[in-house]
Amino acid sequence: MELFDEENVYTVLADQWENYGTLNYIEDERRESLADSEVERGELLGQIFSMIRNTLTERESSILRSYYGLQTKRLSVKRIADEYSMTESRVLHIVREAERKLQFSDEAIEIWKYLYRR
């Protein structure tokens, strides 16, 4: 028999109260996990940008960052093509090639290890 949503919420809160004793502790625990996730996110972004900087040429890096909006405003393929005086298909080709380079770079292995660490 499934519980209604209100009953689920009540059961979860009752379990938390029983396990932690006070609501203050529950709030503090959530704050710590948010802080930890922000630190991990910052470390991961640092590794990603380092990988982009070390693996791609300046032009590839700039196009890729504009395409995905990394540390810059995301631009349309047409806008990027106009900016670099090339066709839209050429921009997409450069993006796909840059992605392939990043996928098989040594830094990608380090990021994979970071994400799946135990």
Side-chain angles (χ1 to χ4, degrees), residues 62-63 66-67 72-89 91-92 95:
S62 179
I63 290 172
S66 295
Y67 182 80
T72 186
K73 182 180 177 187
R74 184 173 184 186
L75 300 177
S76 67
V77 174
K78 181 171 176 34
R79 179 100 185 265
I80 297 169
D82 291 343
E83 197 173 296
Y84 287 92
S85 301
M86 59 178 68
T87 64
E88 294 176 27
S89 62
V91 169
L92 292 174
V95 168

Side-chain angles (χ1 to χ4, degrees), residues 45-70:
L45 284 174
Q47 287 181 336
I48 289 170
F49 289 121
S50 173
M51 177 178 66
I52 289 171
R53 190 173 45 254
N54 295 335
T55 306
L56 304 178
T57 66
E58 188 61 40
R59 181 176 177 205
E60 290 171 331
S61 173
S62 179
I63 290 172
L64 187 76
R65 287 187 290 116
S66 295
Y67 182 80
Y68 285 109
L70 302 171

Side-chain angles (χ1 to χ4, degrees), residues 10-118:
Y10 176 78
T11 303
V12 167
L13 289 174
D15 289 343
Q16 287 179 341
W17 183 263
E18 182 178 308
N19 292 337
Y20 299 108
T22 67
L23 290 176
N24 291 337
Y25 188 78
I26 294 170
E27 290 175 11
D28 288 344
E29 181 182 84
R30 288 183 184 154
R31 279 190 206 120
E32 282 182 22
S33 65
L34 288 175
D36 289 345
S37 67
E38 285 298 315
V39 168
E40 287 182 7
R41 183 174 183 267
E43 290 174 7
L44 182 58
L45 284 174
Q47 287 181 336
I48 289 170
F49 289 121
S50 173
M51 177 178 66
I52 289 171
R53 190 173 45 254
N54 295 335
T55 306
L56 304 178
T57 66
E58 188 61 40
R59 181 176 177 205
E60 290 171 331
S61 173
S62 179
I63 290 172
L64 187 76
R65 287 187 290 116
S66 295
Y67 182 80
Y68 285 109
L70 302 171
Q71 289 182 325
T72 186
K73 182 180 177 187
R74 184 173 184 186
L75 300 177
S76 67
V77 174
K78 181 171 176 34
R79 179 100 185 265
I80 297 169
D82 291 343
E83 197 173 296
Y84 287 92
S85 301
M86 59 178 68
T87 64
E88 294 176 27
S89 62
R90 180 67 182 141
V91 169
L92 292 174
H93 179 75
I94 290 171
V95 168
R96 300 298 169 243
E97 281 297 309
E99 290 171 344
R100 188 189 61 71
K101 280 184 178 180
L102 292 173
Q103 180 181 2
F104 296 107
S105 70
D106 292 337
E107 285 90 354
I109 294 169
E110 292 304 314
I111 291 173
W112 186 86
K113 288 179 183 176
Y114 177 82
L115 289 173
Y116 295 100
R117 67 190 184 283
R118 300 250 177 222

